[in-house]
């Protein structure tokens, strides 16, 4: 990631952070430097002294006063890759300075250098007390991470077949967690180039996919939890610490609750099984969310909310699922799938829902091998110039059809009902019906899936025409709703017949103090997991922000 001054300006995309050097690598004004000095200590650093190293957690913030700091990475071969060169008024760090994850790059004094060192605790205090400086720093950190993702700097190399379900799983996990990486599709290489690459990493084609970290360390088809641990994405929890509130799920509702809880001084932890964003995080574009007239992707919205929550001090435990809740005594105790335990006085359930599957023979055999539940840029690459199917009548299905129609040869949109008007926003209905690249098939259902390893043919049945058709289609996007993720609270809380959490009533049947209160005091539910909720991003955000008031009231009563 060279600085903007080192790259030809005419070749830079306006969306590239390198074209915005003044924001990506800003210089604090002399007045700002004076204010920042109150939060740290001035130190003299000899040339070539290592200040921080990739893989460390909770590194300090450094502001250059004289001299310089060189930031660098180490590639898969162990070679040093220069990233940028900070001089007076410039500062180190990127998004991992807002959390407890392992940092992605290293830094050392280029010359004899005078720095202002600010510890993590005082750095967070500075962000809270100096909002104008915090804005400069936070914007720079976001842009630096974007540049790292675009260029694969500070990340890992993924080598595998693009259509392999495990390759897709790994890339999806890294992408949704904002972790820089480069993907090499082994099928796109010549036999000679492929053999040479495999030999260089001492792996065979049968061992793909692999993740290669700096220094040639090779991970053979790692699971998500293993990958998160190895890359330092997981924040370790202290079983002795009692949080004010534990939020289960990092979808829109959970992240909104985290932002408001942490910003109002509550000790907050968010526990998420995969990545921030929930189902909304897989939406290619949300166009009817207030304040974004041009729309915003679910991943971008979730990423911003995650940064916002971390800026206020919320902890995020990623790639860790809650498997049970001990709710008979205070503080409540949540057991995670890796054996860790989290204790909290209050709990907000925002665990959302899992994707519903089609009732078709051999369906599970083709999941990840032609059947997908998200339409993002990653899946879009697989569908270039191909016919695809989208199944579903909701907004997520409509957004997927519009997104895929940009690159696919044609999109077949299938719904069981007579139309879309009752279940989809009108603006999406109009775009689908008017698009020459999308055909709407009403009263139609998939009845058969065929393929050797990968999906190759799909058959559907049109009930009105009483016709069954078979087509050579290898990509099906299923978006037919979801089922609540509530198995882990089934023994604690009252659920409705479909498994959604009942709120607004007490265990005795009376009116609860909050519309989001469950039948256990101090446990609340927001978003899609709540019975009777409106399944919209905006409503989930609203519920997540409002529930914090009830959490405050409960904590005041039990303190």
């Amino acid at each position: 990631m060279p600085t903007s001054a080192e790259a030809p300006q005419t070749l830079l995309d306006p969306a590239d952070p390198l074209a915005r050097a003044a924001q990506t690598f800003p210089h604090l004004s002399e007045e700002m430097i004076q204010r920042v000095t109150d939060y740290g200590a001035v130190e003299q650093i000899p040339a070539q002294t290592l200040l921080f190293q990739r893989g460390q957690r909770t590194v300090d913030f450094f502001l250059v006063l004289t001299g310089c700091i060189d930031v660098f990475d180490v590639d898969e071969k162990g070679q040093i890759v220069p990233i940028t060169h900070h001089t007076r008024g410039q500062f180190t760090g990127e998004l991992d300075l807002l959390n407890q994850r392992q940092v992605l790059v290293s830094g050392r004094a280029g010359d004899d250098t005078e720095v202002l060192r600010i510890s993590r605790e005082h750095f967070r205090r500075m962000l809270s007390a100096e909002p104008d400086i915090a804005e400069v720093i936070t914007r720079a950190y976001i842009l630096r991470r974007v540049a790292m993702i675009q260029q694969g700097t500070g990340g890992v190399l993924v080598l595998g077949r693009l259509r392999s379900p495990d390759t897709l799983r790994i890339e999806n996990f890294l992408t949704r967690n904002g972790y820089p990486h480069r993907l090499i599709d082994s099928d796109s290489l010549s036999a000679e180039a492929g053999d040479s690459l495999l030999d260089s990493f001492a792996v065979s084609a049968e061992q793909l996919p692999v993740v290669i970290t700096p220094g040639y360390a090779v991970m053979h088809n790692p699971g998500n939890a293993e990958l998160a641990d190895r890359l330092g994405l997981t924040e370790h929890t202290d079983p002795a610490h009692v949080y004010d509130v534990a939020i289960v799920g990092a979808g829109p509702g959970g992240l909104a609750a985290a932002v408001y809880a942490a910003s109002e001084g509550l000790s907050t932890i968010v526990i998420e099984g995969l990545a921030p964003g929930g189902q909304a995080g897989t939406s290619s574009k949300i166009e009817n969310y207030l304040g974004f007239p041009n729309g915003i992707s679910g991943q971008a919205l979730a990423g911003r909310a995650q940064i916002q929550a971390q800026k206020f001090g919320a902890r995020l435990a990623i790639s860790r699922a809650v498997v049970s809740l001990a709710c008979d005594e205070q503080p409540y105790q949540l057991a995670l799938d890796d054996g860790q335990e989290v204790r909290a006085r209050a709990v907000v359930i925002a665990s959302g829902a899992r994707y519903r599957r089609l009732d078709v023979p051999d369906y599970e055999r083709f999941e990840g091998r032609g059947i997908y539940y998200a339409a993002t840029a990653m899946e879009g690459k697989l569908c270039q110039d191909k016919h695809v199917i989208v199944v579903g009548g909701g907004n997520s299905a409509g957004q997927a059809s519009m997104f895929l129609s940009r690159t696919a040869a044609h999109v077949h949109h299938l719904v069981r009902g007579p139309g879309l008007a009752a279940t989809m926003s009108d603006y999406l209905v109009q775009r689908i019906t008017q698009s020459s690249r999308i055909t709407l098939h009403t009263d139609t259902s998939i009845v058969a899936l065929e393929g050797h390893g990968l999906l190759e043919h799909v058959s559907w049945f049109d009930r009105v025409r009483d016709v069954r058709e078979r087509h050579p289609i290898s990509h099906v996007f299923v978006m037919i709703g979801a089922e609540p993720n509530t198995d882990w609270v089934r023994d604690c809380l009252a659920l409705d017949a479909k498994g959604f959490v009942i709120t607004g009533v007490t265990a005795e049947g009376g009116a609860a103090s909050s519309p989001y209160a469950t039948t256990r005091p101090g446990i609340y539910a927001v978003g899609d997991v709540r019975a009777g909720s409106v399944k919209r991003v905006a409503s989930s955000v609203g519920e997540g922000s409002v529930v914090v008031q009830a959490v405050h009231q409960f904590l005041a009563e039990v303190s």
Side-chain angles (χ1 to χ4, degrees):
M1 189 176 71
T3 63
S4 179
E6 297 169 340
Q9 291 292 316
T10 56
L11 298 180
L12 291 176
D13 183 336
D16 190 330
L18 301 187
R20 303 164 61 181
Q23 294 179 319
T24 307
F25 304 105
H27 292 260
L28 296 186
S29 68
E30 293 302 316
E31 185 271 335
M32 286 181 172
I33 292 175
Q34 289 301 315
R35 277 191 282 149
V36 169
T37 303
D38 294 337
Y39 298 91
V42 175
E43 295 184 11
Q44 307 297 324
I45 308 295
Q48 302 305 305
T49 300
L50 192 66
L51 298 173
F52 53 90
Q53 189 171 14
R54 176 171 179 163
Q56 292 179 332
R57 297 180 188 264
T58 62
V59 302
D60 293 334
F61 173 90
F62 294 94
L63 174 69
V64 178
L65 300 178
T66 63
C68 62
I69 294 176
D70 294 323
V71 178
F72 61 94
D73 185 25
V74 178
D75 65 15
E76 297 87 10
K77 300 178 182 179
Q79 302 297 312
I80 289 183
V81 179
I83 295 179
T84 193
H85 177 81
H86 294 307
T87 58
R88 176 169 174 78
Q90 292 183 303
F91 49 85
T92 61
E94 53 96 41
L95 288 180
D96 283 338
L97 229 68
L98 300 177
N99 52 50
Q100 304 296 321
R101 294 179 178 180
Q102 292 181 8
V103 298
L104 302 180
V105 295
S106 303
R108 63 188 170 201
D111 303 315
D112 289 341
T113 299
E114 184 177 64
V115 301
L116 175 70
R117 180 195 290 262
I118 302 179
S119 68
R120 185 66 66 94
E121 177 185 357
H122 291 110
F123 172 68
R124 195 174 297 282
R125 187 164 64 88
M126 179 190 72
L127 292 183
S128 176
E130 309 288 350
D132 58 332
I133 298 175
E135 180 180 351
V136 173
I137 293 172
T138 303
R139 182 194 299 117
Y141 282 1
I142 293 172
L143 290 172
R144 291 176 190 180
R145 176 57 67 92
V146 169
M148 294 171 76
I149 291 172
Q150 288 179 350
Q151 300 182 21
T153 306
V156 295
L157 174 67
V158 180
L159 175 61
R161 298 181 63 234
L162 185 57
R163 286 207 64 186
S164 158
D166 282 319
T167 302
L168 287 172
R169 172 185 56 80
I170 289 170
E171 190 185 24
N172 180 62
F173 179 81
L174 295 172
T175 299
R176 291 196 56 190
N177 279 288
Y179 197 92
H181 65 280
R182 291 181 292 125
L183 172 66
I184 297 179
D185 179 10
S186 57
D187 287 344
S188 68
L189 302 174
S190 66
E192 182 179 354
D195 290 343
S196 175
L197 188 61
L198 292 175
D199 288 344
S200 67
F201 295 120
V203 297
S204 65
E206 291 72 27
Q207 293 176 304
L208 298 180
V210 295
V211 178
I212 298 114
T213 62
Y216 271 152
V218 179
M219 303 177 68
H220 298 279
N221 193 19
N224 291 346
E226 179 188 357
L227 192 58
D229 288 346
R230 184 69 171 270
L231 301 182
L233 291 173
T234 305
E235 294 193 26
H236 300 299
T237 59
D238 180 359
H241 181 76
V242 178
Y243 291 91
D244 290 325
V245 58
I247 300 166
V248 182
L255 289 173
V259 168
Y260 280 82
S263 67
E264 294 173 15
L266 298 182
S267 172
T268 305
I269 186 170
V270 184
I271 306 167
E272 167 57 45
L274 178 63
Q279 284 197 33
T282 66
S283 295
S284 53
K285 180 174 280 193
I286 303 171
E287 290 196 70
N288 58 354
Y289 188 72
L290 186 67
F292 294 90
N294 295 322
I296 184 171
S297 73
Q299 184 178 338
L301 184 64
R304 294 182 184 191
Q306 177 187 0
I307 294 166
Q308 203 170 3
Q310 291 176 329
K311 186 184 78 170
F312 289 120
R315 297 282 303 277
L316 267 77
I318 300 298
S319 190
R320 290 296 179 269
V322 179
V323 294
S324 66
L325 171 63
C327 54
D328 290 331
E329 59 183 48
Q330 272 279 3
Y332 294 123
Q333 187 166 292
L334 300 97
L336 309 189
D337 58 0
D338 65 347
Q340 293 189 78
E341 294 180 345
V342 173
R343 298 196 298 161
R345 297 182 179 88
V347 177
V348 174
I349 300 169
S351 49
R354 54 185 174 269
Y355 299 106
R356 189 172 289 135
R357 299 171 173 179
L358 295 175
D359 185 14
V360 181
D362 290 331
Y363 183 85
E364 292 185 5
R365 183 161 66 90
F366 293 112
E367 285 184 293
R369 294 173 169 84
I371 293 175
Y372 312 102
Y373 299 99
T376 67
M378 182 174 60
E379 289 81 15
K381 290 187 294 186
L382 299 175
C383 303
Q384 185 82 33
D385 299 325
K386 294 181 173 62
H387 282 246
V388 303
I389 293 173
V390 174
V391 183
N395 277 7
S396 59
Q399 290 159 355
S401 281
M402 293 306 305
F403 175 75
L404 293 169
S405 67
R406 302 176 195 169
T407 55
H410 199 79
V411 177
H412 298 274
H413 194 120
L414 276 58
V415 290
R416 291 185 302 172
L420 298 172
T423 55
M424 188 180 294
S425 296
D426 183 66
Y427 78 93
L428 284 171
V429 176
Q430 297 304 319
R431 290 181 184 178
I432 289 171
T433 55
Q434 293 171 15
S435 174
S436 62
R437 301 175 67 90
I438 304 174
T439 298
L440 178 62
H441 303 265
T442 58
D443 297 292
T444 301
S445 300
I446 292 177
V447 292
L449 304 167
E450 305 170 54
H452 297 87
L454 300 173
L455 182 63
E456 296 170 359
H457 287 86
V458 178
S459 297
W460 66 62
F461 181 71
D462 185 323
R463 290 185 296 278
V464 173
R465 295 190 297 132
D466 194 26
V467 173
R468 177 177 172 135
E469 301 178 19
R470 181 174 181 267
H471 297 269
I473 291 177
S474 55
H475 303 284
V476 177
F477 295 82
V478 179
M479 298 173 175
I480 57 172
E483 300 169 343
N485 286 317
T486 53
D487 291 345
W488 59 282
V489 294
R490 196 168 293 278
D491 296 332
C492 277
L493 306 176
L495 309 177
D496 70 7
K498 295 183 178 179
F500 291 90
V501 179
I502 295 173
T503 61
V505 296
T506 64
E508 294 75 26
S513 58
S514 165
Y516 312 113
T518 69
T519 48
R520 291 273 183 175
I523 302 180
Y524 306 86
V526 298
D528 290 0
V529 76
R530 189 175 70 84
S533 65
V534 178
K535 306 301 188 279
R536 287 286 188 268
V537 172
S539 61
S540 293
V541 170
E543 293 182 11
S545 60
V546 172
V547 75
V548 175
Q549 181 180 4
V551 172
H552 274 296
Q553 182 177 345
F554 170 77
L555 293 176
E557 292 172 354
V558 298
S559 61

